[in-house]
Amino acid sequence: MTELTPVKLNLSPATRLTLLLVTVILVCALFLTWNVKASWAFTLEFRGQKLISMVLVGIFIAISTLLFQTISQNRILTPSIMGFDALYILIQSIMIVVVGASSYSILNEYTKWAIEISIMTGMMLLLSKFLFRDSAQSIQLLILSGVVLGICLSSINGLVFRMMDPSQSVVAQDAFFASFSSPPMALLQVSCLILLSCLVFLYRYHHQLDVLSLGEQTAHSLGINYSRLTQHVLILIAILVGMSTALVGPITFLGLLVVHLAYQLAGSYKHKILLPFAAILGVLVLVLGEFILQHVVAFNTRLSIVIECVGGVVFLALIIKQAKS
Amino acid sequence: MTKMTLYWALAFVSLIITSLLVGTITLDSANFDWLLLSQTRIPRTIAIILSGMSLSVAGVIMQMLANNKFVEPTTTGTVEWAILGMLLLLIFYPQASLTVKLSVSVLFSIVGAVSFLLLIKKLHTRSVIMVPLVGIIYAGIIGAVVNFIAYQQDLMQFVWVWIQGDFSMILQGRYELLWIAGLLTFLAYFIADRFTLVGLGKNVATNLGLNYSYVFAIGITLVASIAGITVVIAGVLPFLGLIVPNIVSLYFGDNLRRSIPLIACLGAMLALVCDILARILVHPFEIPVGVIMGVVGSVVFLGLLLRQTCHD
Amino acid sequence: MIELKNVALSYGHKQVLNDINLTLADTGLTSIIGPNGSGKSSCLGLMSRLQKASAGEVLLDNCPIQHIPANQLAKQLSILRQDNHTNARIQVKDLITFGRYPYHQGRPSEQDLKIVEQCIEYVDLRDVQDRFIDQLSGGQRQRVFIAMVLAQDTRTILLDEPLNNLDIKHSVSIMKQLRKTCDELNKQVVVVLHDINFAAHYSDTIIALKNGEVIANGSPAEIMQDSVLSHIYDMHITVTDIQGKPTCLFYS
């Protein structure tokens, strides 16, 4: 595990969290009100929708990545590097092909997500068998396998996409190329529901999560039902990854970036602090990033591209650092 | 052994014949169009064989240079650099001739290959896994840079479609420069022993009197040239240079004098199989062969990695 | 004849070898001994041009080693380094045949193949000659590399800890083979050894390095003394005479 050296500010974790919260509220306000060109009503609604999806995605990605790293006791793995967002998209494609374009469109949103999430959870549970090994070599092998699996799934998805007939591909396009600006209402509703249940779960179990990060043996000896807790957390991760991919598509490195920033800045190892810190930081990175790209910098670019580039460099640095130790 | 060779030769010939006959219009005794055959099918088949052959051999040379069996031009940033070069050329000098395009592509490929090999040299790692992992991430970073520039210039859709490995655009008169890649492959075969020695490590190679840096430079030039040329004419054909040498190595080892001909043949055959599939899966439409290769290649790669897991 | 004149080697701030002056005998077996980090491998690396000296000259037969064309040098001097990890999957026989590369450049003749067969016999690998080296044990792999160097048939052979990974039987057999090569074929063999007793038993000259400097250079009789060895290794070592050969004991 990479060494944690929290930033040497003499601020308590609670203070840091509060500061962060204030910052993010300010940034959101800025995002909503800066340089309004059209009517206020329209702008607020348009930007508001965008803001809500960014908030949701930021929280989901941050939390799912943090939980994944806790379970695997490894600070380089994330669900997206293991190919899970690619998996989500593939499941959707296959469903469209199997069920048919028209049936898919009228499929009950909840049924759709239930099927997708259960398949993803199944894969997560399967993967969990491989997560708990100690040697550095097998972790690296796991990372590489995950990366290649992600490439494999994207390739298969590309193939399925090209084999669809036109009606199916139209439906698929809508499903895949969601961006921050146009999430369907139903999706947002489900996301908020999930966010609430997630918060409840984490509030109840955050102490146990702290113990979980100490490893299986320690957890057992401290009386935690390790396998059951791990399963519950994996299901939660699957749901969160599914939701964020549904909202904005795959962003491979956002989670890694945010979580590592959180490790550095939060000032505590406890999930009680880390989880909210990472979540708010996730929102901050997205909203601030989007704000800067839109208003400050002259570039015309997508935030996802910038994240991929920066994240890739950070990931590379992390791998090299781990290899050297 | 000769019986096996006969079967494989027969398989190869049948693949070639299938490739000549199958397509949007299926040629058979009733429907025999010489023009179609000579203008598109024959050039296409030749292009497939040349690309498959040269990319596989480029892969094995890169593996010798990097002392790692899981690298090849499309998974280490070499091809991404070539795409970057082509993109910049498109933006600044769109009326470039094919020769200029090829030169730019090869030059940028050389930069890509050299930068990757320098990067892993800095790593000082023995791990068989680290090197390809770093390669893939490095390729991703350069890919993101390409995306960044393409998005700026509103060329995103265009770039990724145009760079996709696709033999459907091959016509008589538009692919001949691929023969250069073929020639480079033969050259590689003639100096195969030198590359095997490089694969044994710098100390062993130097001990046996090899001018290591010189051979290394020739190797990089060969790999980058083949990658650069095939990207411009045929597009990106992923994983071919990785899986073919690994499969051949499993049975025949890494003595390049023995294995390069086998790698070339298997590479050509695999490319033919993928392209034939690309033509028949949604007949009469075509899927770009790069898509098929991406699936086949990544699945085999995954299999090779799992095999590695069992070894540890 | 190998000569090192005022040779120094450093990596960044680290001084590995300091003002080395050596003239190695033209024929016979010379052992280089010394504690870890004394610069023994680097010394060999410099002698074989695999490493470049930061200062001073390395001469082979009175000619600076970097001026000798690569292919010619490969026929005069061969080296086997300590670290021969390779990912390449090569057959035993093929690898040893590569030892003849300076002569056949990729097209081995009948003569080359005969020499290869002989070398396979010397290292007792006849049974596994068609296997891939990654299918062999560490000791077998080491013997393959030794055979490769023997096949190169150079006048000067440098070996860096060749007995690593070898069991007693094969260690003795290799040392006997090297001794025979010196005696019958008039070759010059320079070996870095960890086992002082092997050095004493088989060498004509022993050179001791410590902290990057030569602190002893002489016949086994001269070096195998309590005081000398204790000084080299910074521990209490006793030398006794067993069957007419000096043997040292350091186990307690």
Side-chain angles (χ1 to χ4, degrees):
Chain A
M1 279 183 25
T2 43
E3 278 300 316
L4 238 210
T5 43
V7 171
K8 298 242 186 293
L9 295 166
N10 282 321
L11 295 170
S12 78
T15 325
R16 297 183 197 214
L17 198 55
T18 326
L19 271 172
L20 188 66
L21 195 57
V22 168
T23 317
V24 90
I25 293 175
L26 281 172
V27 173
C28 288
L30 203 63
F31 178 81
L32 283 172
T33 57
W34 183 271
N35 200 7
V36 176
K37 291 211 174 105
S39 76
W40 272 88
F42 171 76
T43 312
L44 278 178
E45 192 188 321
F46 177 70
R47 290 187 188 181
Q49 262 204 322
K50 211 168 167 178
L51 185 65
I52 294 177
S53 7
M54 282 197 277
V55 166
L56 287 168
V57 169
I59 297 176
F60 288 163
I61 290 184
I63 294 182
S64 58
T65 307
L66 185 61
L67 290 176
F68 196 79
Q69 295 200 341
T70 302
I71 292 198
S72 59
Q73 285 117 52
N74 181 294
R75 296 214 165 152
I76 303 183
L77 296 181
T78 71
S80 53
I81 285 171
M82 300 305 296
F84 275 97
D85 35 14
L87 177 65
Y88 182 77
I89 295 183
L90 183 63
I91 294 173
Q92 282 208 321
S93 304
I94 293 179
M95 272 180 61
I96 294 175
V97 171
V98 163
V99 164
S102 40
S103 319
Y104 184 82
S105 315
I106 59 171
L107 201 62
N108 185 315
E109 299 288 357
Y110 294 95
T111 325
K112 209 192 298 184
W113 286 313
I115 300 176
E116 286 160 3
I117 298 300
S118 21
I119 300 178
M120 292 231 349
T121 316
M123 292 297 293
M124 281 275 184
L125 292 171
L126 212 94
L127 182 74
S128 67
K129 294 206 200 281
F130 298 103
L131 283 177
F132 311 122
R133 287 201 199 153
D134 285 322
S135 82
Q137 173 81 339
S138 53
I139 291 291
Q140 285 170 354
L141 188 56
L142 191 61
I143 298 173
L144 183 58
S145 310
V147 169
V148 177
L149 183 63
I151 297 174
C152 186
L153 293 171
S154 313
S155 314
I156 297 176
N157 193 47
L159 184 61
V160 169
F161 198 71
R162 284 178 192 271
M163 291 181 68
M164 287 179 184
D165 60 54
S167 59
Q168 291 174 336
S169 79
V170 165
V171 173
Q173 289 264 21
D174 278 337
F176 301 157
F177 298 110
S179 67
F180 283 114
S181 49
S182 57
M185 236 325 134
L187 198 56
L188 283 177
Q189 286 170 346
V190 174
S191 306
C192 291
L193 265 172
I194 289 178
L195 180 62
L196 274 156
S197 358
C198 175
L199 289 173
V200 168
F201 175 84
L202 291 174
Y203 185 72
R204 267 203 70 195
Y205 288 104
H206 70 263
H207 288 298
Q208 297 198 15
L209 289 172
D210 289 329
V211 179
L212 210 57
S213 57
L214 295 171
E216 187 170 356
Q217 312 289 8
T218 323
H220 272 309
S221 54
L222 288 173
I224 307 277
N225 188 339
Y226 185 77
S227 40
R228 201 163 64 115
L229 182 60
T230 315
Q231 276 182 1
H232 288 328
V233 175
L234 282 172
I235 294 172
L236 182 60
I237 295 174
I239 295 173
L240 293 174
V241 171
M243 288 320 299
S244 62
T245 315
L247 282 167
V248 293
I251 305 183
T252 317
F253 290 115
L254 180 64
L256 192 70
L257 279 172
V258 168
V259 160
H260 273 270
L261 271 175
Y263 290 142
Q264 298 290 319
L265 297 172
S268 167
Y269 296 75
K270 294 194 176 177
H271 282 82
K272 185 168 75 176
I273 300 289
L274 270 179
L275 279 168
F277 204 95
I280 301 173
L281 204 53
V283 175
L284 184 62
V285 167
L286 280 178
V287 177
L288 195 59
E290 191 66 31
F291 179 75
I292 292 176
L293 278 180
Q294 279 205 331
H295 298 288
V296 177
V297 166
F299 293 142
N300 172 28
T301 188
R302 280 218 294 254
L303 186 59
S304 52
I305 297 177
V306 178
I307 292 177
E308 289 306 289
C309 201
V310 174
V313 174
V314 169
F315 187 54
L316 198 58
L318 280 173
I319 297 177
I320 294 176
K321 197 169 161 195
Q322 202 224 28
K324 285 208 170 135
S325 65
Chain B
M1 197 62 213
T2 333
K3 212 176 181 186
M4 277 295 285
T5 324
L6 188 63
Y7 285 147
W8 280 105
L10 272 170
F12 201 165
V13 171
S14 8
L15 279 173
I16 296 178
I17 296 176
T18 320
S19 175
L20 289 172
L21 298 178
V22 161
T24 313
I25 302 170
T26 315
L27 297 174
D28 49 39
S29 49
N31 190 4
F32 211 73
D33 188 347
W34 271 112
L35 195 69
L36 183 69
L37 197 68
S38 61
Q39 290 297 318
T40 61
R41 293 291 167 76
I42 293 179
R44 180 175 187 153
T45 308
I46 296 177
I48 298 169
I49 294 174
L50 286 173
S51 309
M53 185 173 93
S54 57
L55 279 172
S56 309
V57 172
V60 79
I61 295 176
M62 195 172 215
Q63 289 166 14
M64 292 295 126
L65 296 177
N67 286 125
N68 186 286
K69 59 184 174 179
F70 289 133
V71 295
E72 63 116 4
T74 67
T75 61
T76 53
T78 309
V79 152
E80 276 73 13
W81 271 93
I83 298 173
L84 182 62
M86 297 307 296
L87 183 62
L88 292 172
L89 193 66
L90 188 68
I91 295 171
F92 294 112
Y93 186 35
Q95 64 271 36
S97 70
L98 190 57
T99 327
V100 172
K101 280 190 194 166
L102 280 177
S103 322
V104 168
S105 179
V106 168
L107 273 164
F108 271 79
S109 300
I110 292 179
V111 172
V114 169
S115 56
F116 169 67
L117 289 167
L118 275 174
L119 184 61
I120 59 170
K121 197 168 160 202
K122 288 257 182 252
L123 282 182
H124 292 302
T125 179
R126 265 291 136 76
S127 161
V128 175
I129 301 299
M130 272 297 286
V131 172
L133 188 53
V134 168
I136 292 178
I137 305 301
Y138 180 59
I141 296 172
I142 307 294
V145 172
V146 169
N147 268 340
F148 184 78
I149 299 175
Y151 194 83
Q152 291 275 292
Q153 303 287 326
D154 208 11
L155 286 169
M156 278 283 275
Q157 193 86 348
F158 184 65
V159 167
W160 292 110
V161 164
W162 147 67
I163 218 65
Q164 186 77 272
D166 190 353
F167 286 108
S168 61
M169 307 301 286
I170 303 286
L171 286 178
Q172 181 76 12
R174 286 238 217 113
Y175 80 100
E176 276 74 5
L177 290 171
L178 260 182
W179 279 102
I180 301 177
L183 269 155
L184 291 173
T185 316
F186 280 108
L187 176 65
Y189 176 59
F190 283 130
I191 55 176
D193 285 312
R194 286 159 183 71
F195 292 126
T196 316
L197 285 178
V198 165
L200 289 173
K202 190 169 184 183
N203 288 332
V204 173
T206 316
N207 169 45
L208 292 170
L210 201 74
N211 191 335
Y212 186 82
S213 321
Y214 185 61
V215 177
F216 201 84
I218 294 182
I220 292 186
T221 314
L222 270 173
V223 169
S225 306
I226 291 173
I229 294 173
T230 49
V231 160
V232 172
I233 297 181
V236 178
L237 300 168
F239 293 117
L240 198 60
L242 193 149
I243 60 176
V244 171
N246 270 285
I247 294 172
V248 171
S249 171
L250 283 178
Y251 297 102
F252 298 99
D254 291 330
N255 187 345
L256 291 188
R257 182 157 290 279
R258 196 169 298 145
S259 61
I260 280 186
L262 299 168
I263 291 172
C265 287
L266 187 61
M269 286 171 71
L270 192 57
L272 280 168
V273 167
C274 287
D275 194 67
I276 292 171
L277 274 173
R279 282 181 257 174
I280 62 178
L281 277 177
V282 280
H283 194 269
F285 300 107
E286 283 195 33
I287 300 176
V289 72
V291 174
I292 308 272
M293 273 191 198
V295 175
V296 170
S298 53
V299 168
V300 175
F301 189 8
L302 213 52
L304 288 168
L305 284 175
L306 287 175
R307 199 172 168 275
Q308 183 85 6
T309 330
C310 296
H311 267 219
D312 292 337
Chain C
M1 181 180 69
I2 302 179
E3 278 179 86
L4 274 71
K5 291 187 174 166
N6 300 97
V7 165
L9 178 67
S10 54
Y11 296 126
H13 298 298
K14 195 170 156 212
Q15 189 79 13
V16 177
L17 289 173
N18 209 346
D19 200 34
I20 305 277
N21 281 292
L22 279 177
T23 306
L24 296 172
D26 228 6
T27 55
L29 203 147
T30 309
S31 300
I32 302 182
I33 61 171
N36 279 340
S38 52
K40 311 188 291 292
S41 292
S42 308
C43 207
L44 232 57
L46 290 176
M47 286 186 214
S48 61
R49 67 40 186 107
L50 287 182
Q51 286 174 271
K52 198 157 172 280
S54 318
E57 283 191 305
V58 179
L59 302 164
L60 179 67
D61 293 335
N62 288 315
C63 182
I65 204 159
Q66 56 266 33
H67 293 167
I68 307 178
N71 186 255
Q72 193 187 324
L73 187 58
K75 295 183 197 168
Q76 293 174 267
L77 184 153
S78 57
I79 174 158
L80 181 65
R81 297 223 77 164
Q82 208 180 343
D83 188 2
N84 286 307
H85 173 84
T86 174
N87 288 319
R89 206 171 134 87
I90 304 222
Q91 281 180 325
V92 169
K93 205 161 163 189
D94 281 343
L95 187 56
I96 301 175
T97 314
F98 269 116
R100 301 290 305 161
Y101 183 81
Y103 308 98
H104 67 60
Q105 297 290 311
R107 283 158 183 80
S109 64
E110 279 294 320
Q111 168 79 338
D112 291 317
L113 294 172
K114 247 197 241 161
I115 296 176
V116 167
E117 260 196 64
Q118 228 175 18
C119 291
I120 295 179
E121 284 296 336
Y122 288 157
V123 294
D124 189 28
L125 284 174
R126 174 99 79 84
D127 307 329
V128 297
Q129 62 177 314
D130 289 317
R131 287 214 212 146
F132 291 113
I133 56 173
D134 58 358
Q135 293 169 328
L136 302 179
S137 71
Q140 287 173 316
R141 216 173 311 157
Q142 183 75 358
R143 277 145 56 202
V144 175
F145 280 102
I146 294 175
M148 186 178 94
V149 165
L150 289 176
Q152 204 176 337
D153 199 22
T154 53
R155 213 171 138 267
T156 308
I157 306 178
L158 308 175
L159 298 159
D160 195 346
E161 299 192 32
L163 308 181
N164 277 354
N165 290 319
L166 295 185
D167 58 19
I168 315 177
K169 170 171 155 213
H170 290 114
S171 296
V172 171
S173 141
I174 295 294
M175 288 311 293
K176 279 197 179 146
Q177 187 63 38
L178 292 173
R179 187 72 249 174
K180 202 168 133 186
T181 312
C182 291
D183 296 333
E184 290 177 13
L185 302 172
N186 255 333
K187 290 204 201 274
Q188 173 191 25
V189 176
V190 182
V191 240
V192 169
L193 288 174
H194 258 309
D195 192 326
I196 318 169
N197 288 325
F198 266 119
H201 212 91
Y202 288 95
S203 332
D204 299 310
T205 321
I206 301 182
I207 299 174
L209 290 179
K210 186 178 172 184
N211 290 329
E213 292 177 348
V214 178
I215 57 171
N217 186 347
S219 69
E222 291 165 20
I223 304 293
M224 296 296 281
Q225 312 255 351
D226 289 15
S227 52
V228 181
L229 288 177
S230 305
H231 174 57
I232 297 171
Y233 288 98
D234 283 334
M235 61 184 279
H236 186 62
I237 301 181
T238 335
V239 182
T240 9
D241 220 39
I242 299 181
Q243 294 181 344
K245 291 269 183 173
T247 311
C248 63
L249 294 170
F250 44 79
Y251 295 104
S252 53

